């Protein structure tokens, strides 16, 4: 860049079209979140330890479930591994709004909102950041599950779909968490999501229990549960011969919900500014 | 309101009859933060908005910086309507909130480069500008340290630098020195003075310190109850106050009413008022008048526990224009 163009940077009113700005801003803001994460090694370790605890604890506690007549899978570890992956994605995403709360407590959010930073990028960057955490956790939990006996008959394709389902689930619930953060502006509201929403969603699903052994109402309700869509897609894709129609159906539902939730959550910025 | 209201080129900020109210909470009436705020800041000057907490300063800054929307009224910043074209306003302004606007988990350099990139600067331009500003604000040696390790004064300077990254034509500084120790405050004043000239921009400064506005602002507007109660140059406002404040604390056994009437009877102490054991007055040359005041009180048999002389302060200006004192809330602010 020449001296001349440097000088001409002053008073920028350059017309940047929306799409490149959205992508560029998303990249800058996601990089900021990742830097902050990398600089808190304790947080990183917590994120890696938690999945192991869950895997080993649930695996041992419910081991004999697989012996119940009518249980779908021969091995409980096989059965629950996709469930644990999605539980981590769900429970992690419930706290995604934390970075907004921190930014609001400081003046960072106000500074970003008075700059040309795209609102879509503010939303997308936190969703992407949370997805990176989900990918890291999943990448740690899968080999450990393998060591404790889990078999991934679906191969690499199946694992790729499992990651995709976990990422889509993360997008849905981190957008929700962000929206709650923008509307309530308090960390305690996020506890509400994780307690009042995540746990019921987890239990009305096949994450740790085959719903064919549950009461009919649980099975019926689970069909409308986005968390169950992700569990079913991940588990389905890991089968030796997956029912691809069903897997892609669930992924499609999740993807549609990502668009809806992302849009609604971005609209929550308007509510935040109205009451600012 | 005409659709193409174009403020004169000499005006960087125009606010006309801005009103904004918030829900007051359960069962309480709405809080009217702004009730017809009107003022104008000329291009290239430092303009001070003065007032105690709750006067509407921050609400005004939020509306002008597109963070919030007014219920009614209109405002232009850099000639752009803030309600109609907030995106354009955002490209033209820098914003330094009351709270720190920097990410403590990023370095000073990273904070600046991010701000520049979001404002649309290309990578090399953003990096060059970040280094230039770090140098200007004497933060060069701290550029690669996380902001959470900065002192309050350093972090505040970085906040201002973040607001300057893209060379805005209007900079909002919301209470830039609140919470800083006296040395850091003096340091910040120097920076603000220097940069207004160097960057050729308009600065809207909110503060509850009259001395701060006095030192930095070419014009000030004093806010109370969401509207301007007085405006002009700091010199002009102080001249209106005519002299120094004399503040006496009467002894426990003394009669404050007698002290007040004695002071008023002297002739050269004006605006005598009484609040509990505190008696206030105003005189042209406080240092010369005080011994005479004390002698007169002594002769009248009124014991005085303490006597203070004060240059005209925001409190005094405020008292004069609103008829009430906010010294209690100001004292809390100073203590905070």
């Amino acid at each position: 860049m020449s001296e001349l163009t440097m000088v001409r940077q002053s008073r920028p009113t350059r017309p940047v079209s929306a799409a490149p700005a959205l992508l560029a801003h998303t990249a800058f803001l996601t990089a900021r979140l990742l830097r902050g994460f990398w600089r808190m090694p304790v947080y990183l370790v917590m994120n890696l330890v938690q999945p192991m605890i869950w895997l080993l604890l649930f695996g041992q506690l419910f081991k004999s479930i697989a012996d119940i007549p009518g249980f779908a899978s021969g091995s409980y570890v096989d059965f629950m591994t996709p469930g644990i992956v999605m539980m981590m994605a769900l429970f992690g995403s419930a706290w995604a709004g934390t970075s907004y709360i921190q930014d609001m407590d400081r003046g960072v959010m106000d500074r970003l909102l008075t700059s040309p930073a795209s609102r879509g990028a503010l939303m997308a960057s936190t969703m992407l950041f949370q997805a990176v955490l989900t990918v890291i956790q999943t990448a740690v939990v899968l080999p450990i599950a393998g060591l404790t006996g889990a078999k991934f008959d679906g191969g690499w394709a199946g694992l790729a779909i499992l990651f995709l389902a976990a990422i889509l689930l993360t997008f849905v619930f981190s957008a929700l968490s962000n929206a709650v953060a923008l509307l309530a502006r308090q960390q305690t509201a996020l506890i509400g999501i994780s307690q009042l929403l995540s746990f019921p969603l987890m239990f009305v699903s096949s994450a740790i229990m085959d719903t064919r052994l549950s009461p009919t109402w649980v099975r019926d309700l689970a069909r409308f549960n986005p968390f169950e869509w992700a569990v079913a897609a991940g588990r389905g894709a890991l089968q030796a011969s997956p029912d691809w129609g069903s897997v892609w159906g669930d992924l499609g539902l999740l993807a549609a919900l990502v668009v809806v939730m992302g849009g609604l959550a971005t609209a929550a910025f308007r509510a935040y500014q109205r009451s600012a | 309101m005409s659709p193409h209201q174009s403020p004169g080129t000499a005006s960087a900020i125009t606010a006309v009859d801005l009103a904004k109210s918030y829900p007051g909470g359960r069962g309480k009436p709405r809080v009217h933060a702004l009730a017809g705020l009107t003022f104008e800041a000329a291009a290239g000057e430092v303009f001070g908005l003065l007032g105690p907490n709750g006067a509407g300063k921050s609400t005004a800054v939020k509306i002008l910086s597109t963070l919030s929307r007014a219920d009614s009224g209109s405002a232009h910043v850099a000639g752009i309507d803030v309600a109609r074209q907030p995106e354009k306003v955002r490209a033209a302004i820098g914003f330094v909130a009351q709270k720190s606007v920097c990410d403590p988990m990023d370095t000073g350099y990273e904070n600046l480069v991010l701000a520049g990139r979001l404002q649309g600067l290309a990578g090399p331009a953003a990096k060059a500008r970040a280094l230039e500003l770090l140098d200007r604000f004497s933060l060069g040696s701290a550029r690669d340290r996380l902001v959470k390790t900065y002192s309050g004064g350093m972090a505040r300077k970085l906040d201002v630098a973040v607001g300057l990254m893209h060379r805005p034509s209007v900079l909002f500084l919301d209470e830039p020195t609140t919470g800083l120790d006296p040395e850091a405050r003096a340091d910040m004043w120097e920076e603000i003075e220097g940069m207004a000239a160097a960057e050729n921009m308009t600065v809207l400064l909110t503060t509850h310190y009259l001395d701060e506005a006095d030192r930095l602002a070419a014009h000030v507007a004093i806010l109370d109850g969401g509207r301007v109660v007085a405006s002009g140059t700091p010199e002009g406002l102080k001249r209106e106050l005519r002299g120094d404040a004399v503040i006496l604390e009467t002894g426990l056994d003394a009669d404050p009413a007698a002290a007040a009437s004695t002071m008023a009877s002297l002739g050269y102490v004006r605006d005598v008022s009484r609040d509990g054991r505190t008696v206030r007055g105003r005189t042209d040359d406080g240092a010369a008048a005080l011994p005479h005041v004390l002698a007169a009180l002594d002769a009248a048999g009124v014991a005085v526990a303490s006597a203070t002389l004060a240059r005209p302060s925001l409190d005094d200006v405020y008292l004069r224009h609103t008829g009430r004192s906010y010294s209690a809330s100001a004292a809390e602010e100073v203590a905070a």
Side-chain angles (χ1 to χ4, degrees):
Chain A
M1 176 167 298
S2 72
E3 285 293 316
L4 186 66
T5 49
M6 297 270 295
V7 171
R8 293 196 58 219
Q9 291 293 348
S10 60
R11 301 283 147 78
T13 47
R14 69 190 67 76
V16 180
S17 51
L22 174 68
L23 291 179
H25 291 181
T26 302
F28 302 145
L29 293 166
T30 309
R32 175 198 151 214
L33 293 168
L34 288 171
R35 278 196 302 270
F37 176 70
W38 183 246
R39 283 167 180 159
M40 293 276 278
V42 177
Y43 195 48
L44 182 71
V45 170
M46 290 261 290
N47 270 274
L48 296 182
V49 167
Q50 189 206 26
M52 295 182 219
I53 294 174
W54 285 33
L55 190 72
L56 300 175
L57 208 67
F58 278 86
Q60 291 302 308
L61 187 62
F62 296 116
K63 200 171 188 165
S64 48
I65 287 182
D67 301 335
I68 299 174
F71 195 83
S73 178
S75 137
Y76 186 64
V77 177
D78 279 5
F79 179 83
M80 73 155 194
T81 297
I84 295 286
V85 165
M86 298 309 160
M87 278 163 68
M88 291 179 328
L90 175 69
F91 282 85
S93 304
W95 297 105
T98 302
S99 56
Y100 279 0
I101 303 276
Q102 284 176 346
D103 283 350
M104 284 184 236
D105 287 346
R106 299 163 191 148
V108 179
M109 181 63 87
D110 286 353
R111 187 248 289 184
L112 292 175
L113 290 178
T114 56
S115 82
S118 144
R119 273 70 183 142
L122 284 171
M123 185 54 61
S125 61
T126 45
M127 290 163 67
L128 271 175
F129 168 65
Q130 199 62 45
V132 169
L133 299 190
T134 293
V135 167
I136 294 173
Q137 287 186 321
T138 306
V140 167
V141 94
L142 288 178
I144 294 171
L147 287 175
T148 58
K151 290 181 298 298
F152 307 112
D153 294 331
W156 292 112
L159 288 171
I161 298 295
L162 179 74
F163 273 97
L164 178 60
I167 290 169
L168 291 175
L169 181 69
T170 302
F171 284 162
V172 169
F173 283 93
S174 50
L176 177 70
S177 178
N178 283 341
V180 170
L182 286 172
L183 298 176
R185 305 177 190 202
Q186 283 172 13
Q187 183 78 25
T188 43
L190 300 181
I191 301 174
I193 314 186
S194 87
Q195 301 300 313
L196 295 176
L197 195 64
S198 301
F199 275 102
L201 288 180
M202 181 187 105
F203 286 115
V204 183
S205 82
S206 65
I208 51 175
M209 187 67 196
D210 192 339
T211 44
R212 273 169 296 193
L213 300 175
S214 314
T216 326
W217 68 265
V218 172
R219 212 176 317 149
D220 293 342
L221 210 55
R223 259 187 247 139
F224 301 96
N225 181 355
F227 176 68
E228 172 64 12
W229 302 342
V231 173
R235 184 176 291 138
L238 287 179
Q239 304 305 309
S241 47
D243 175 357
W244 288 116
S246 162
V247 168
W248 286 111
D250 284 333
L251 291 175
L253 284 170
L254 276 172
L257 195 57
V258 169
V259 173
V260 172
M261 284 307 301
L264 287 175
T266 307
F269 276 113
R270 275 199 284 281
Y272 172 79
Q273 276 179 278
R274 231 191 337 269
S275 58
Chain B
M1 191 169 37
S2 76
H4 293 289
Q5 193 174 12
S6 76
T9 45
S11 166
I13 303 172
T14 341
V16 180
D17 219 15
L18 288 178
K20 172 84 177 174
S21 63
Y22 296 104
R26 211 167 299 153
K28 291 178 190 149
R30 289 182 75 82
V31 176
H32 292 275
L34 292 183
L37 179 75
T38 300
F39 73 89
E40 200 169 320
E45 75 170 352
V46 177
F47 188 92
L49 279 185
L50 280 160
N53 283 346
K57 296 180 308 249
S58 286
T59 306
V61 168
K62 281 179 178 169
I63 289 169
L64 294 170
S65 62
T66 76
L67 205 51
S68 175
R69 290 179 76 95
D71 298 338
S72 63
S74 69
H76 288 75
V77 171
I80 310 159
D81 189 316
V82 295
R84 290 206 174 81
Q85 297 183 297
E87 297 84 8
K88 278 192 161 181
V89 171
R90 287 174 196 140
I93 62 168
F95 177 80
V96 181
Q98 263 182 48
K99 292 179 274 191
S100 173
V101 299
C102 290
D103 183 344
M105 292 309 290
D106 257 359
T107 66
Y109 179 71
E110 286 163 347
N111 266 292
L112 291 171
V113 172
L114 175 66
R117 301 302 312 263
L118 291 175
Q119 280 286 358
L121 295 185
K127 287 172 186 168
R129 176 72 170 157
L131 292 177
E132 176 195 333
L133 287 171
L134 284 166
D135 210 37
R136 161 113 62 86
F137 286 93
S138 318
L139 294 170
S141 58
R143 63 173 259 196
D144 293 325
R145 270 168 51 194
L146 296 188
V147 170
K148 67 173 182 175
T149 68
Y150 281 24
S151 70
M154 289 166 73
R156 211 59 187 131
K157 285 200 276 188
L158 186 66
D159 286 342
V160 176
V162 161
L164 291 175
M165 270 302 284
H166 58 296
R167 297 188 169 84
S169 57
V170 176
L171 180 72
F172 293 95
L173 285 179
D174 200 359
E175 308 209 352
T177 64
T178 299
L180 294 188
D181 59 60
E183 197 182 333
R185 171 172 299 158
D187 200 17
M188 178 61 86
W189 284 357
E190 259 174 47
E191 300 290 0
I192 295 172
E193 270 180 334
M195 82 197 180
E199 301 280 340
N200 183 30
M201 64 184 175
T202 311
V203 177
L204 184 77
L205 169 83
T206 78
T207 180
H208 53 246
Y209 302 118
L210 184 66
D211 54 347
E212 185 162 297
D214 190 8
R215 165 93 181 255
L216 301 172
H219 288 91
V220 299
I222 294 172
L223 266 57
D224 180 56
R227 62 178 60 144
V228 176
V229 292
S231 63
T233 63
E235 273 313 306
L237 287 171
K238 277 193 301 183
R239 251 199 318 276
E240 278 179 43
L241 278 177
R242 298 173 300 159
D244 303 327
V246 180
I247 304 144
L248 297 177
E249 194 85 7
T250 55
L252 281 174
D253 306 328
D255 177 9
S261 60
T262 306
M263 248 165 81
S265 71
L266 290 172
Y268 49 81
V269 183
R270 299 175 303 268
D271 303 341
V272 177
S273 63
R274 190 162 59 80
D275 180 15
R277 287 168 51 215
T278 307
V279 181
R280 300 166 161 272
R282 188 158 295 289
T283 186
D284 291 329
D285 186 349
L290 187 60
H292 297 290
V293 172
L294 292 175
L297 288 170
D298 192 36
V302 180
V304 174
S306 75
T308 317
L309 273 182
R311 298 287 305 145
S313 66
L314 170 59
D315 204 359
D316 302 316
V317 177
Y318 187 81
L319 181 68
R320 180 183 163 88
H321 286 283
T322 66
R324 46 200 173 76
S325 163
Y326 76 95
S327 47
S329 72
E332 278 167 30
E333 283 164 10
V334 169

